[in-house]
């Protein structure tokens, strides 16, 4: 089966929102082995929408659409698509009841135009909306249009994602016969081009599974994807490739299918019954916040401090005034004292610290923007890692430096956690 | 002039990355008054790329493409587009020298396939890449293709954005005669549908400027956009509309063209010579980190603590054990003591705190997931705001609750800062 993705919304054409829906749908379709050769976006204009729909259905079996199912006058996807398939609109009673219940449950007042959302083309397959009011639907072509299907989902990403997972994927999977299975190898601290150089021959030579690198700030994700009938076949194809990657990349791999650094860290800490505490200057809570993204983080993380001010570094973490005077706030010495200080303050197994110059101002020849120290304290001692995270960017460098600095802190804490043994435990209510 | 956006990359079709390039380009084109009726995405496949290019150029004057300009074998955008316009490829010496300099400056080794990036179609307009190696280009059609232009930019967003700003927009603006000017009215704490209800008649009635609402988690952005010849005309058209919006929406407007809550907060604190300190439980550094996103934040923000553990709340913030026992960690009383505690600890003008239940676990009937208290302490006293941020989401609710909780903390701090007078100042090196 081939599919196209057609997103409807003038706000996307104007660049007011990023089209994350296309990415989510594309990823989910790839996972169930449906090929997507094109994505497109069209505004809330019935003529262009109809033209785009016709074009997409001339090239693909199925078109997945998002947006334009809302209650307002410019929401036209359902009506335009119904007209294309020659279907009349009629009131869909189960949807109407669901919308009424949604309003009753959330204590909001239903307006007459919300009834429009329950109008459906005749003989449509209706998908309930578990996160909002507009139901989704599929129209399956008849007669000359047989074999062509248009699927419509609401535009708000949360509603779309829930509907995709709960209704649309099960609907599509009934019609597909093979599956793509992927494994993600997470690499930190090696550039994409270096990873590609090292794995170039393997990437060129592999057909099933395939091997593809994706770079994000400071990280490379290698995705190994096999087209298979079942899990056993997937393992047999993918496992040897992962071993080959390990042999080449080694220590820079921080996990397989672990989502991200913060998840790898929290899971490792939980497994080993270890705790971490954070002391942050230039990242200012970003390390703590990334740890707290992970459900259950409170079991392994009790204390974090943001010490932007030197006074805060002394008062909260016991950094010596002499250290700050002799070496400055951005130094290996200060990073070490911050890490040791927060470890002692929290009674944690691992103390991790970040101090650096995120810019755009505050750099000097000796200490340029991008200079960052990450400190790690454990019961075995304390050390600091020096990083130069400056890049040749005109904008966004501050956010890049802060983000990659926080990634380095998570990575260093993870390395310590992997080596460490359990000790004190943190306990709290949230 | 009409334009289409055509993004090239199998990684987009597979959903491995979000197509933020299309959004950025669309927004920039809207601002200079170029109409975009369609966006599309095609993979690294020369046949489908050529077909998509031909289709786009049949409908629009200009096609802006991203991706496929890199050094590897599957980067085919330049070659495919050159062939479509009947142009030969030749070595572009200035680009080659620039690539050589880039490698020399960044201390990396240049590989032979990097030379491919300096190959250009004959008679192309070449755009330098200030953030990477692949130059961009424009091919202007000749003969039967006169009036049709293909613009190609690299895929990495940083490189594309810099090139768009530095070269492509100036190139396009030479060909456009009017300008769109927008003003953004930022609203916090009112739902999009409520804002739309209140402004429905105004939105319907306006033609120039237009008025459009965009909802983000917890916020609504109202964009007023006028098509004008100069700034004076823009002000004359837009100012009265902004006043009408103020009359209807009132206090929920937290700023005009201020980017976001954290920027509004930092600018207000700087203007008033006030400082803020943060004490966070469920948001765990997210408030601090959002403040620190803003350059110059260190002038107004010296201390933040993440007190996930109750012990940390007592030890760092002086929250009374009795308060935690009697009311629990998630209570107005604890929020107030956290805010007062961090204000005292930091010697700041404003102390802001967040404590709540982000889930997915940890909720009870009395204190459900989504219950959040934001505390604010100033020299005038301390108070707490109770929020219920639970939504009907199956996934992502933890991140939603944490994010909107942090927005509420920023909003409350901003309200205090707007009322407040200057007092103590924070000083530090970063």
């Amino acid at each position: 089966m081939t599919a196209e993705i057609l997103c409807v919304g003038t706000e996307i054409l104007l660049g007011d929102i990023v089209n994350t829906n296309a990415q989510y749908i594309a990823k989910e379709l790839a996972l169930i082995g449906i090929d997507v050769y094109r994505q497109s976006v069209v505004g809330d204009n019935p003529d262009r929408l109809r033209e785009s729909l016709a074009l997409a259905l001339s090239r693909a079996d199925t078109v997945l659409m998002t947006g334009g199912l809302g209650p307002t006058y410019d929401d036209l996807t359902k009506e335009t698509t119904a007209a294309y398939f020659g279907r009349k609109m009629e009131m869909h009673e189960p949807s109407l009841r669901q919308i009424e219940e949604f309003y009753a449950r959330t204590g909001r007042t239903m307006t007459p135009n919300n009834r429009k959302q329950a109008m459906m083309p005749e003989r449509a397959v209706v998908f309930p909306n578990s996160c909002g009011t507009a139901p989704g639907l599929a129209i399956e072509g008849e007669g000359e249009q047989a074999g062509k299907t248009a699927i419509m989902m609401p535009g708000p990403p949360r509603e779309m994602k829930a509907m995709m997972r709960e209704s649309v994927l099960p609907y599509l999977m009934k019609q597909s016969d093979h599956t793509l299975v992927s494994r993600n190898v997470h690499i930190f601290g090696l550039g994409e081009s270096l990873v590609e150089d090292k794995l170039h021959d393997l990437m060129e030579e592999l057909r099933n599974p395939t091997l593809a690198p994706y770079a994000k700030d400071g990280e490379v994700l290698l995705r190994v994807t096999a087209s298979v009938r079942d899990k056993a076949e997937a393992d047999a194809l993918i496992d040897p490739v992962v071993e080959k990657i390990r042999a080449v990349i080694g220590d820079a791999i921080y996990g397989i299918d672990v989502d991200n650094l913060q998840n790898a860290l929290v899971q490792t800490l939980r497994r080993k019954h270890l705790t971490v505490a954070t002391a942050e200057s230039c990242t200012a809570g970003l390390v703590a916040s990334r740890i707290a993204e992970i459900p259950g983080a409170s079991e392994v993380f009790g204390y974090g401090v943001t010490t932007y001010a030197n006074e805060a570094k002394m008062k909260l973490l016991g950094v010596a005034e002499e250290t700050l005077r002799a070496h400055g706030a951005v130094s290996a010495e200060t990073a070490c004292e911050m890490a040791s200080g927060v470890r002692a303050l929290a009674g944690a197994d691992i103390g991790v610290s970040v101090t650096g110059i995120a810019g755009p101002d505050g750099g000097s020849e000796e200490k340029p923007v991008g200079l960052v120290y990450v400190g790690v304290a454990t019961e075995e001692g304390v050390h600091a890692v020096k990083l130069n995270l400056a890049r040749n960017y005109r904008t966004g460098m501050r956010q890049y430096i802060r983000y990659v600095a926080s990634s380095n802190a998570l990575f260093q804490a993870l390395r310590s956690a992997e080596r460490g043994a359990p000790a004190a435990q943190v306990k709290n209510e949230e």
Side-chain angles (χ1 to χ4, degrees), chain A:
Chain A
M1 190 198 298
T2 60
E4 292 202 13
I5 299 168
L6 175 57
C7 298
V8 184
T10 301
E11 69 277 20
I12 308 175
L13 284 186
L14 285 173
D16 287 312
I17 58 169
V18 177
N19 187 2
T20 54
N21 283 349
Q23 183 256 341
Y24 184 85
I25 296 169
K27 195 164 190 165
E28 294 298 318
L29 293 180
L31 286 173
I32 61 167
I34 294 178
D35 289 325
V36 176
Y37 291 131
R38 283 185 190 80
Q39 298 173 1
S40 41
V41 177
V42 69
D44 300 308
N45 173 296
D47 295 336
R48 282 191 288 272
L49 172 55
R50 188 190 169 101
E51 190 188 315
S52 294
L53 175 67
L55 186 63
L57 282 173
S58 75
R59 299 182 297 209
D61 309 316
T62 301
V63 175
L64 290 99
M65 304 161 82
T66 64
L69 300 184
T72 66
Y73 68 97
D74 62 349
D75 290 310
L76 297 158
T77 302
K78 209 164 44 180
E79 293 73 8
T80 305
T81 308
Y84 175 82
F85 282 96
R87 305 285 173 94
K88 288 199 198 78
M89 299 297 289
E90 59 190 22
M91 179 56 72
H92 186 247
E93 293 297 336
S95 293
L96 182 61
R97 278 194 300 277
Q98 209 158 21
I99 292 170
E100 287 167 348
E101 278 164 24
F102 180 87
Y103 277 88
R105 196 169 62 238
T106 56
R108 288 187 273 173
T109 313
M110 188 167 161
T111 56
N113 60 6
N114 287 117
R115 289 176 61 88
K116 170 171 174 290
Q117 297 187 303
M119 294 293 288
M120 286 288 156
E122 48 189 355
R123 301 188 302 287
V125 179
V126 178
F127 304 129
N129 185 335
S130 64
C131 298
T133 53
L137 65 150
I139 304 181
E140 296 168 353
E142 296 163 355
E144 279 186 10
Q145 295 171 321
K148 301 290 181 179
T149 303
I151 293 172
M152 285 154 268
M153 292 179 280
R158 278 196 198 82
E159 299 179 25
M160 183 283 295
K161 285 180 188 178
M163 190 177 292
M164 188 81 189
R165 222 165 31 239
E166 293 161 11
S167 302
V168 175
L169 286 173
Y171 172 82
L172 289 170
M173 280 204 294
K174 281 190 226 149
Q175 295 154 57
S176 174
D177 58 347
H178 70 298
T179 298
L180 293 188
V181 175
S182 286
R183 207 158 303 157
N184 297 306
V185 180
H186 297 266
I187 297 170
F188 186 79
L190 293 183
E192 186 189 17
S193 54
L194 192 58
V195 171
E196 279 207 53
D197 275 0
K198 284 174 184 275
L199 294 170
H200 182 264
D201 293 347
L202 190 60
M203 276 192 256
E204 291 268 273
E205 143 204 331
L206 285 172
R207 283 296 165 270
N208 189 23
T210 56
L211 177 56
Y214 303 100
K216 300 181 289 183
D217 289 336
E219 294 195 39
V220 178
L221 171 69
L222 281 176
R223 176 166 299 166
V224 190
T225 306
S227 172
V228 292
R229 283 157 308 188
D230 56 36
K231 191 184 171 302
E233 193 185 355
D235 291 344
L237 285 169
I238 294 175
D239 287 348
V241 173
V242 171
E243 285 319 304
K244 278 183 194 166
I245 295 169
R246 270 196 201 283
V248 175
I249 303 292
D251 254 10
I253 296 173
Y254 71 82
I256 311 285
D257 287 336
V258 290
D259 285 354
N260 50 42
L261 282 163
Q262 53 269 40
N263 192 43
L265 173 61
V266 169
Q267 300 319 334
T268 303
L269 291 168
R270 289 178 71 162
R271 201 174 57 244
K272 298 212 163 194
H273 301 289
L274 293 168
T275 61
V276 69
T278 59
E280 306 182 59
S281 193
C282 64
T283 50
L286 191 52
V287 179
S289 182
R290 288 178 66 184
I291 292 172
E293 275 178 19
I294 310 303
S298 57
E299 288 174 33
V300 299
F301 176 56
Y303 287 68
V305 294
T306 295
T307 54
Y308 236 36
N310 277 347
E311 191 194 285
K313 293 181 184 78
M314 295 186 281
K315 193 163 156 183
L316 294 180
L317 300 171
V319 175
E321 193 167 1
E322 176 53 27
T323 305
L324 292 166
R325 192 163 39 223
H327 305 284
V330 179
S331 65
E333 290 78 3
T334 298
C336 285
E337 290 187 25
M338 287 172 69
S340 299
V342 81
R343 179 172 180 265
L345 178 74
D349 299 301
I350 300 168
V352 63
S353 70
V354 190
T355 180
I357 300 164
D361 305 315
S364 65
E365 199 161 329
E366 197 198 347
K367 295 189 177 181
V369 169
L371 177 66
V372 173
Y373 291 90
V374 169
V376 186
T378 63
E379 63 175 350
E380 284 161 21
V382 58
H383 71 281
V385 178
K386 181 180 180 176
L387 306 164
N388 190 334
L389 304 179
R391 288 292 178 276
N392 200 22
Y393 307 153
R394 302 278 163 100
T395 55
M397 189 150 91
R398 180 179 174 87
Q399 264 37 290
Y400 174 85
I401 291 170
R402 294 180 66 235
Y403 184 81
V404 180
S406 76
S407 298
N408 273 280
L410 293 167
F411 183 71
Q412 293 298 330
L414 174 62
R415 282 288 173 258
S416 287
E418 284 166 347
R419 280 193 305 269
Q425 284 187 45
V426 70
K427 194 167 165 296
N428 70 75
E429 286 187 2
E430 281 165 87

